């Protein structure tokens, strides 16, 4: 437990620093958008390509990917059931489903690497290669299907997926690993430098994107669905993982990935595809705060389960 807290505290500190820099306007708002874009298009893909290309896939726990994908579909189904709740608008259902299946990859990568080094980083990247495409497909379909009227042009889900730089990076890294192609030293070192920058800037951007004022606007709907997401996804991940025979570090990584709050990009996609954008913003803020409590508790529960 102390090791997890030791890994979590630097993440909290960097996210907090990003929030302070944003609130104090020491870094202008438009600069944060540029930083987010740089991380999304260049830095994070570089980290994924290098980690996947160097990952030992001959011993890769594919059960990890399977457990997390099944957990995402299970939480998507629970979000879909929200349409039968009284007073639940259709756009809100789309935003809830998106919140249920997305995760904050930067937090997962940071904690995984701090706890388990390169092995943890490789496992989280394998999880990302499975969860990111799944989250994008489920989110786009859910938002479009439940939108009263999209605020912008609704992209074709497959086309949006193919153009996603994260998905492209996952495909490139997996292709290099499958072909057993070793990265040239110069390219490997260059991607390593970009990857290191991705973790720091990603966490700072996550902090800058947190709207604490949304906590004051959050009502019972936001808090209840936030708890469903923060508890439900890791519980399903553990359940499916145990059914598939997952154990040890891979099972712990599954919990870490599933227990992170939803991605901060959820608000942008909800706004563009006709979801409930204010609800998406509230879910991001509430889950980011609550996750600092639920993540250590879930980690402790898994450690006790493993010791039993």
């Amino acid at each position: 437990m102390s090791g997890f807290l030791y890994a979590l505290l630097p993440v909290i500190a960097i996210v907090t620093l990003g929030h302070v820099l944003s609130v104090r306007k020491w870094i202008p708002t438009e600069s944060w958008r540029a930083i987010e874009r740089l991380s999304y298009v260049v830095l994070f893909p570089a980290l994924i390509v290098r980690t996947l290309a160097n990952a030992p896939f001959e011993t890769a726990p594919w059960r990890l990917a399977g457990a997390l994908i099944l957990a995402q579909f299970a939480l998507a189904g629970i979000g879909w059931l929200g349409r039968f709740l009284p007073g639940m608008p259709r756009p809100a259902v789309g935003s809830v489903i998106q919140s249920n299946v997305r995760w904050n990859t930067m937090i997962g990568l940071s904690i995984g690497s701090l706890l388990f080094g390169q092995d943890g980083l490789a496992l989280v990247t394998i999880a990302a290669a499975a969860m990111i495409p799944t989250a994008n497909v489920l989110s786009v379909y859910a938002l479009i299907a439940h939108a009263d009227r999209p605020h912008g042009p609704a992209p074709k889900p497959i086309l949006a997926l193919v153009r996603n730089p994260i998905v492209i990076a996952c495909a490139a890294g997996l292709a290099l690993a499958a072909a057993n192609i070793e990265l040239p030293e110069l390219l490997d070192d260059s991607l390593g430098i970009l990857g290191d920058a991705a973790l720091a800037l990603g966490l700072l951007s996550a902090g800058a994107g947190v709207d604490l004022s949304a906590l004051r606007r959050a009502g019972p709907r936001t808090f209840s669905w936030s708890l469903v997401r923060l508890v439900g996804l890791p519980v399903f991940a553990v359940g499916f993982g145990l059914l598939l025979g997952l154990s040890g570090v891979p099972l712990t990584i599954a919990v870490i990935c599933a227990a992170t709050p939803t991605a901060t990009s959820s608000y942008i996609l909800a706004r563009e595809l006709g979801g409930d954008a204010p609800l998406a913003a509230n879910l991001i803020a509430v889950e980011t705060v609550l996750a600092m409590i639920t993540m250590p508790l879930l980690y402790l529960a898994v450690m006790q389960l493993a010791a039993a």
Side-chain angles (χ1 to χ4, degrees):
M1 181 64 174
S2 59
F4 181 83
L5 290 176
Y6 179 80
L8 182 61
L9 288 176
V11 173
I12 296 174
I14 296 174
V15 170
T16 302
L17 175 60
H19 184 71
V20 171
L21 291 173
S22 176
V23 170
R24 296 292 183 180
K25 304 297 182 183
W26 289 334
I27 295 181
T29 302
E30 59 272 14
S31 296
W32 284 113
R33 303 291 81 78
I35 291 172
E36 290 173 0
R37 187 65 181 169
L38 176 65
S39 299
Y40 183 68
V41 175
V42 178
L43 303 181
F44 190 29
L47 174 66
I48 288 178
V49 169
R50 180 175 184 266
T51 307
L52 285 178
N54 295 330
F57 277 100
E58 62 275 6
T59 59
W62 295 106
R63 295 181 183 88
L64 169 64
L68 289 169
I69 290 174
L70 289 172
Q72 285 176 293
F73 273 93
L75 257 288
I78 290 178
W80 180 82
L81 292 175
R83 64 192 297 171
F84 301 108
L85 294 176
M88 188 77 166
R90 290 178 60 84
V93 175
S95 291
V96 164
I97 294 174
Q98 178 183 218
S99 170
N100 281 1
V101 301
R102 287 193 179 276
W103 64 301
N104 195 307
T105 315
M106 290 300 176
I107 293 178
L109 285 167
S110 300
I111 295 178
S113 62
L114 286 170
L115 277 176
F116 304 110
Q118 284 299 316
D119 290 342
L121 186 61
L123 287 172
V124 177
T125 306
I126 291 170
M131 293 182 74
I132 290 172
T134 305
N136 275 282
V137 170
L138 291 174
S139 296
V140 170
Y141 269 112
L143 290 169
I144 292 176
H146 294 91
D148 287 335
R149 177 169 35 184
H151 297 177
K156 296 179 179 179
I158 300 300
L159 185 59
L161 204 60
V162 170
R163 290 178 175 176
N164 189 307
I166 307 302
V167 175
I168 293 173
C170 289
L174 290 171
L176 289 170
N180 200 25
I181 297 175
E182 185 175 349
L183 293 173
E185 185 176 354
L186 177 61
L187 178 59
D188 187 66
D189 290 343
S190 300
L191 292 176
I193 294 172
L194 292 172
D196 290 340
L199 292 176
L201 289 180
L203 291 175
L204 288 172
S205 297
V210 172
D211 180 13
L212 292 181
S213 65
L215 293 175
R216 294 192 295 270
R217 302 191 299 268
R221 177 185 295 167
T222 300
F223 279 100
S224 59
W225 281 112
S226 294
L227 288 174
V228 167
R229 162 61 181 82
L230 292 174
V231 177
L233 193 62
V235 166
F236 275 115
V238 170
F240 286 123
L242 292 175
L243 286 175
L244 295 175
L246 202 62
S247 62
V249 175
L251 182 63
T252 304
I253 291 294
V255 173
I256 290 172
C257 294
T260 64
T262 193
T264 55
S265 59
S266 300
Y267 172 77
I268 297 173
L269 198 61
R271 185 177 58 194
E272 290 182 353
L273 300 185
D276 188 332
L279 175 61
N282 292 350
L283 288 169
I284 293 168
V286 172
E287 288 179 29
T288 301
V289 174
L290 291 181
M292 303 309 170
I293 301 172
T294 58
M295 287 188 71
L297 294 177
L298 288 164
Y299 177 83
L300 178 61
V302 171
M303 290 298 98
Q304 291 179 338
L305 179 65

